[in-house]
Amino acid sequence: TPVIDRPSPIATRATPSPANIEGTISWLTSANGKKIPISRVNLELNGHLSDNPHYTTRTDQQGHYSFENIEPNEYGLGVYFNLPVSDRLCDSPEYQFNQDLGWLHYATALRGNIWYDILFSSEDVVLDPGETVFVDFVLKCP
């Protein structure tokens, strides 16, 4: 009987489904409990595994941000507030968040008419394939 050459199956590595992180950043007013969105806040993700991916984004006019279609991984999250003095509701806001990632208030500085505040997570956000994680921040005046 003739021998038929059959191609051997090719093993392919499955590409994990991308993941997402999104959320909002806003002020909470004490007068009526209304949330006021904060635009122009810069955020970054720094990967600690594989090739150390790095992503950046910024909040829009509604205070919403998103990191879309990113590699599943473990990430440190940094939040860089650079608010004009006129947009700041108080000098020393309290930070509230829906996920406690061991937030560290790294720095506060006033340069010209811009207040800078920097927060970093001391714990990683873990993104599994196809997952969307929500991280919201609310600044509240004491």
Side-chain angles (χ1 to χ4, degrees):
T1 61
V3 175
I4 300 174
D5 283 340
R6 293 186 187 182
S8 43
I10 299 172
T12 59
R13 184 175 165 199
T15 304
S17 300
N20 307 296
I21 295 179
E22 64 179 272
T24 58
I25 300 178
S26 58
W27 285 101
L28 178 64
T29 63
S30 59
N32 59 10
K34 180 180 176 183
K35 289 185 179 179
I36 300 170
I38 303 174
S39 61
R40 300 180 312 273
V41 175
N42 297 307
L43 297 101
E44 71 175 32
L45 286 176
N46 291 299
H48 302 300
L49 301 174
S50 71
D51 294 330
N52 297 320
H54 179 88
Y55 303 92
T56 60
T57 193
R58 179 180 259 194
T59 57
D60 62 18
Q61 292 297 318
Q62 289 75 40
H64 181 261
Y65 71 91
S66 64
F67 294 96
E68 297 177 349
N69 298 316
I70 59 177
E71 176 184 332
N73 202 338
E74 295 180 14
Y75 294 94
L77 179 59
V79 184
Y80 301 84
F81 294 90
N82 47 346
L83 303 174
V85 171
S86 60
D87 290 353
R88 198 169 171 102
L89 299 184
C90 59
D91 290 340
S92 300
E94 295 174 4
Y95 296 90
Q96 300 175 339
F97 31 81
N98 70 325
Q99 285 209 28
D100 186 359
L101 297 172
W103 294 103
L104 301 173
H105 188 225
Y106 183 73
T108 298
L110 174 62
R111 293 189 182 147
N113 68 342
I114 304 292
W115 271 106
Y116 295 91
D117 283 293
I118 302 172
L119 299 176
F120 289 116
S121 65
S122 63
E123 298 174 23
D124 288 342
V125 176
V126 178
L127 292 177
D128 293 322
E131 180 179 33
T132 297
V133 173
F134 295 91
V135 181
D136 296 322
F137 294 88
V138 176
L139 282 68
K140 180 181 173 188
C141 295

